[in-house]
Amino acid sequence: MIQIAFFSFVALTLASAVGLLLTRNVLYAAYLLLLTLLGVAALFVFAGADFLAVSQLVVYVGGVLVLVLFGVMLTNKPASAIPDSTPVSERSNRILTENRRPWIAVLLAGGLFWGLSRLLINAHFVVFDRPVSTTSTTIDVIGKQLMTEYVLPFEIISILLLVALVGAGYLAKHKQ
Amino acid sequence: MEPQSSGILLLVAAALFSIGLAVVLTKRHAVVVLMGIELMLNAVNLNLVAFSQYDPDRLQGQLFSLFVIVVAAAEAAVALSMIIQVYRHFRTVRLDELTDLQQ
C-alpha cells in the first residue's frame, strides 16, 4: 500500500515536470510547477523528512509560487494582433513562451540523465546498507541542531534572507 | 522505507534535474527559466534528503536542504524583482529580445 502511494507520487512529480517542459502556456507551467512541488513534498515525507515537507509546502507553494504568479501577471504584454474592437472578456489572454533550439536542450538533458542513471544504477552506496532511522519525527533533532551546531549558519542565512527581501523590494520599486 | 526506495529517490532527483536543465535551456520566457532553476534546486534537495535518512542523529542533509530552501526563496524574490525592472525598461521579458546591455 505504501509502495503504491510512493510510486504514484513519483509518477505525479515526474509527469508534471515533463508537462512543465512541454507546455507553452506560462500559467499552465506555473500550475504544473505547483504539482511538482507538491509531489516533491510528498517524497520528502516518504524519506522521513516531515518538517522539511511542511516547510517545502509553506515556502515554495505558499511563497515562491505566488511570487512567480505575480511575476507572470506583472510582465504580461497583451497580444497586439487582437483588434481593439473585441470586448475585453472575449480576448484571448494566454501568455505563451517560445522554445528555442529544443533538440539541443533535450539531447543535453537526456545525455545528462543517461549518464547519471547509469552511474546511480551501477554504484553501490555503503550508506544504504545501514539501518534506516525509525524515529517518528525529525523536528526534535532539527531544533536542537539549529540551536547548537548550526547556530552560526542559521543566523547568517536569516541575515541573508532579510537583506535579499529588502533588496528585492528596493529593486522592484518605481524609479522617478 | 525499504532501502531500495532511496535509489529510486536518487533516480527521480536525476530526472528532475535533467528536466529542469531542459526547461532552462529551451524556454525563452524569463519567469519559466526561473521555474526550471527551482526544479533543479528541488532535485538537489531530494538527493540530500534521500541520504539524510541514514543519519538520524545529526540530520546534516536535511539541515543543508533547509538552508537551500531559504536561499532559493531569496533568489526567487530578487530574480522576480529584477525581471519586473527589466520589463519596465524594455517592455518585454523574452530573453532573445534582451540584447542591449545599456540603453
Side-chain angles (χ1 to χ4, degrees):
Chain A
M1 191 60 207
I2 289 179
Q3 286 288 311
I4 296 172
F6 177 73
F7 282 111
S8 55
F9 276 117
V10 167
L12 171 77
T13 309
L14 289 183
S16 47
V18 170
L20 169 58
L21 178 60
L22 293 181
T23 184
R24 287 192 59 219
N25 195 321
V26 176
L27 274 186
Y28 288 174
Y31 289 121
L32 286 168
L33 184 70
L34 166 76
L35 276 183
T36 313
L37 296 176
L38 284 178
V40 171
L43 293 183
F44 281 174
V45 174
F46 281 104
D50 48 354
F51 179 74
L52 217 59
V54 174
S55 48
Q56 163 101 356
L57 285 184
V58 171
V59 174
Y60 270 110
V61 181
V64 172
L65 209 73
V66 174
L67 268 181
V68 165
L69 281 175
F70 266 111
V72 173
M73 301 291 181
L74 288 177
T75 59
N76 167 31
K77 188 166 58 177
S80 53
I82 304 170
D84 285 339
S85 56
T86 329
V88 177
S89 57
E90 289 173 18
R91 280 183 211 167
S92 160
N93 55 0
R94 287 176 299 172
I95 309 165
L96 297 178
T97 170
E98 290 92 32
N99 294 341
R100 169 62 76 88
R101 293 188 293 269
W103 296 115
I104 297 176
V106 167
L107 213 65
L108 202 66
L112 181 71
F113 177 65
W114 180 76
L116 280 177
S117 57
R118 275 206 53 178
L119 195 73
L120 289 174
I121 288 169
N122 291 330
H124 177 74
F125 294 102
V126 181
V127 71
F128 284 174
D129 296 334
R130 280 199 226 158
V132 185
S133 68
T134 50
T135 47
S136 56
T137 176
T138 60
I139 299 174
D140 211 21
V141 182
I142 286 180
K144 277 178 193 155
Q145 288 283 80
L146 274 184
M147 280 298 121
T148 54
E149 197 178 344
Y150 290 92
V151 64
L152 186 63
F154 181 68
E155 296 296 336
I156 292 174
I157 205 104
S158 56
I159 298 283
L160 174 85
L161 187 64
L162 177 70
V163 170
L165 290 182
V166 172
Y170 176 74
L171 271 180
K173 85 170 191 207
H174 264 295
K175 301 247 167 31
Q176 304 306 328
Chain B
M1 288 300 291
E2 288 85 90
Q4 52 114 11
S5 68
S6 294
I8 295 172
L9 279 183
L10 294 190
L11 278 179
V12 171
L16 269 187
F17 191 88
S18 308
I19 294 171
L21 181 68
V23 169
V24 170
L25 291 178
T26 310
K27 304 290 181 182
R28 293 297 101 192
H29 196 285
V31 180
V32 185
V33 171
L34 199 66
M35 290 183 204
I37 295 174
E38 300 290 337
L39 221 54
M40 290 159 86
L41 285 166
N42 259 281
V44 173
N45 279 345
L46 209 53
N47 252 332
L48 290 169
V49 169
F51 279 107
S52 173
Q53 54 181 327
Y54 300 95
D55 178 27
D57 298 329
R58 294 181 69 200
L59 289 178
Q60 300 175 76
Q62 288 193 25
L63 282 160
F64 192 51
S65 57
L66 204 59
F67 292 137
V68 171
I69 288 178
V70 176
V71 172
E75 168 253 337
V78 173
L80 281 167
S81 62
M82 282 166 67
I83 288 173
I84 287 173
Q85 275 303 337
V86 165
Y87 177 73
R88 282 205 193 115
H89 195 84
F90 293 103
R91 309 309 292 174
T92 181
V93 286
R94 289 174 204 280
L95 297 173
D96 281 342
E97 298 168 18
L98 300 175
T99 51
D100 293 337
L101 200 57
Q102 191 192 17
Q103 193 179 350

